[in-house]
């Protein structure tokens, strides 16, 4: 498991492939949505499906935009640090998302149809997928990007794009009733980043969090487990963990539904969740 001294590493080639694969699955899910579907509510405040899709497009298009800007002088944030810092920028993210959704809607109206390539949701995502392929595929992984939360390596930033796509694909499923499958590598990456973010937010070794088959971390101050069966164990599946870590699912609800098991006096992690706002 990751230690305090050594951050978890991610295979850059697999990460790029995972972003592309998860984005393709999102695109396929939104292609058949009509205006009623686009106007449907989501579990993200007063965002509609239209805003949610715009946010997904923005999450990917940010790679190209950041690569066009000058590189900052030094690295400031890792993928784990990104997860715990994002909430502070929620207002700006909301503003940008609404602006992009409105722009896409206006363009569709001007074209006389919501089905014109590049202005409808599927076309918007397709355009960003093409831009991603042109830029991220050729840029060096150690290229620094001036992101909202600080200077990050491109390889780290692409890891965060997996998190965005996986989390919001699940939001899209909840809003539309159309299942959006998760790419296995993207799902694994999201689960690991959020597990490491928990360990960073609540450092310690008294609780072992297991998210088979993708991650195991120790967290929470207290007696450190060294051998044998840990006295405090939390275990759940990857998607349930992602929902807990992002505030989509309450701790008590996960326990009651048996999607989560927690044993030991220190195994209640509700005070440390969510880790991603």
């Amino acid at each position: 498991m990751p230690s305090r001294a050594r951050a978890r590493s991610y295979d850059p080639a697999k990460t790029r492939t995972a972003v592309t694969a998860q984005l393709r699955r999102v695109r396929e899910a939104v292609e058949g949505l009509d205006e009623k579907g686009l106007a449907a509510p989501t579990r993200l405040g007063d965002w509609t499906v239209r805003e949610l899709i715009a946010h997904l497009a923005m999450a990917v298009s940010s790679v190209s935009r950041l690569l066009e800007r000058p590189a900052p002088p030094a690295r400031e944030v890792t993928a784990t640090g990104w997860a715990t810092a994002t909430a502070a920028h929620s207002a700006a993210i909301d503003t940008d998302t609404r602006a992009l959704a409105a722009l896409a809607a206006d363009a569709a109206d001007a074209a006389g149809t919501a089905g014109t390539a590049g202005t409808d949701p599927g076309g918007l995502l397709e355009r960003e997928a093409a831009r991603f392929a042109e830029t991220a595929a050729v840029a060096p992984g150690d290229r620094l990007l001036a992101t909202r939360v600080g200077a990050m390596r491109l390889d780290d930033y692409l890891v965060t794009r997996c998190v965005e796509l996986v989390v919001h694909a699940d939001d899209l499923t909840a809003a539309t009733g159309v299942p959006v499958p998760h790419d296995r590598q993207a799902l694994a990456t999201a689960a690991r980043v959020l597990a490491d973010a928990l360990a960073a937010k609540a450092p310690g070794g008294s609780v072992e969090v297991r998210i088979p088959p993708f991650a195991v971390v120790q967290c929470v101050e207290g007696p450190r487990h060294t051998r044998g069966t840990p006295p405090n164990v939390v275990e759940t599946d990857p998607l349930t963990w992602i929902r807990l870590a992002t505030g989509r699912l309450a701790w008590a609800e996960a326990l009651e539904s048996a999607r989560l098991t927690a044993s030991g006096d220190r195994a209640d992690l509700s005070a440390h969740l969510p880790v991603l706002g």
Side-chain angles (χ1 to χ4, degrees):
M1 70 184 63
S3 69
R4 290 181 177 84
R6 184 176 182 180
R8 190 191 301 272
S9 62
Y10 297 87
D11 184 306
K14 289 182 178 180
T15 301
R16 284 168 169 76
T17 299
V19 171
T20 300
Q22 188 62 58
L23 180 58
R24 182 178 64 251
R25 296 183 182 197
V26 170
R27 284 167 49 204
E28 291 169 351
V30 305
E31 283 177 352
L33 293 177
D34 56 16
E35 283 301 315
K36 182 179 180 181
L38 293 173
T42 71
R43 59 190 180 189
L44 302 174
D46 61 353
W47 278 10
T48 65
V49 170
R50 188 185 295 279
E51 275 85 32
L52 175 54
I53 294 170
H55 182 73
L56 281 159
M58 189 173 72
V60 178
S61 68
S62 63
V63 178
S64 300
R65 293 198 312 272
L66 292 172
L67 283 169
E68 292 171 354
R69 300 174 183 174
R75 181 187 191 185
E76 299 171 326
V77 184
T78 64
T80 302
W82 166 88
T84 55
T86 299
H89 302 269
S90 59
I93 292 170
D94 177 71
T95 298
D96 290 349
T97 295
R98 293 179 189 278
L100 179 58
L103 184 64
D106 289 345
D109 289 342
T113 173
T116 302
T119 59
D120 66 294
L124 180 62
L125 293 173
E126 183 176 358
R127 182 183 67 196
E128 297 309 337
R131 291 181 64 196
F132 178 83
E134 292 172 358
T135 56
V138 297
D142 60 356
R143 166 66 151 85
L144 291 177
L145 306 178
T147 77
R148 293 181 192 272
V149 301
M152 296 180 67
R153 287 167 49 103
L154 172 61
D155 281 348
D156 284 339
Y157 192 64
L158 293 179
V159 167
T160 72
R161 300 308 86 188
C162 281
V163 179
E164 290 273 11
L165 286 166
V166 166
V167 170
H168 292 306
D170 190 46
D171 291 332
L172 190 61
T173 294
T176 65
V178 179
V180 183
H182 285 107
D183 173 76
R184 179 180 171 83
Q185 184 65 37
L187 182 65
T189 299
R192 290 164 181 160
V193 170
L194 295 174
D196 291 346
L198 172 65
K201 182 179 182 180
S206 68
V207 180
E208 184 164 287
V209 180
R210 301 172 178 173
I211 310 158
F214 299 137
V216 178
V217 296
Q218 290 186 354
C219 59
V220 182
E221 291 183 354
R224 175 171 290 277
H225 164 69
T226 56
R227 61 171 56 185
T229 302
N232 301 283
V233 177
V234 172
E235 184 166 340
T236 190
D237 64 274
L239 192 52
T240 297
W241 163 242
I242 288 167
R243 291 169 179 166
L244 284 165
T246 59
R248 270 70 172 174
L249 178 65
W251 180 265
E253 183 182 350
L255 277 176
E256 185 176 352
S257 65
R259 286 177 283 179
L260 169 76
T261 59
S263 60
D265 295 339
R266 297 174 181 269
D268 185 344
L269 299 179
S270 57
H272 308 293
L273 299 172
V275 295
L276 176 67

